[in-house]
Amino acid sequence: HVNPGDEVIIIEPYFDCYEPMVKMAGGTPKFISLKPVKSEGTISSADWKLDPEELKQVFSSKTKAIIFNNPNNPLGKVFKEDEIMDICRLCVEHDVLMISDDVYEHMLF
């Protein structure tokens, strides 16, 4: 569970209930944004990524959990295996719980 002073990482954009749920539990939301990796042509949800260095920096000794939503709601980004593994490695390294919201796991895109 989350205690006062614990930080919970939320990947932006995010489902609007995550932030109030973290606050109701006494935690402090820490945000990291998915960003488009290209600026020309057709940009799809697959073109949005987490910056690996920024991701490392958002983890701290106060981090208790990260909320991971795949596919991302509302963007629709489906994370690739290497992106998921990067997050998992940081969770193991920092002893952080991943709260995985896979509400769309049975839908085909």
Side-chain angles (χ1 to χ4, degrees):
H1 56 54
V2 175
N3 295 308
D6 288 342
E7 296 176 352
V8 178
I9 300 168
I10 300 174
I11 299 170
E12 297 177 297
Y14 58 91
F15 183 50
D16 61 0
C17 70
Y18 295 156
E19 183 178 0
M21 287 171 34
V22 169
K23 289 179 177 179
M24 281 181 28
T28 302
K30 299 296 280 189
F31 300 99
I32 181 167
S33 295
L34 286 163
K35 297 179 179 131
V37 293
K38 68 180 198 179
S39 59
E40 295 183 21
T42 303
I43 299 174
S44 75
S45 60
D47 296 316
W48 292 72
K49 306 231 183 230
L50 292 171
D51 177 278
E53 289 305 313
E54 187 179 348
L55 181 60
K56 288 179 190 174
Q57 295 301 317
V58 78
F59 281 80
S60 76
S61 61
K62 294 181 181 181
T63 306
K64 182 74 165 244
I66 182 169
I67 300 175
F68 180 70
N69 179 224
N70 189 33
N72 174 274
N73 179 11
L75 189 59
K77 181 213 178 19
V78 177
F79 287 84
K80 294 182 179 177
E81 184 177 357
D82 64 318
E83 295 173 300
I84 298 168
M85 292 306 297
D86 287 343
I87 296 169
C88 290
R89 278 190 283 278
L90 287 165
C91 288
V92 170
E93 179 182 330
H94 294 275
D95 196 25
V96 167
L97 177 67
M98 177 188 283
I99 301 167
S100 186
D101 182 355
D102 299 320
V103 68
Y104 303 112
E105 71 179 313
H106 298 292
M107 296 179 82
L108 300 177
F109 292 86

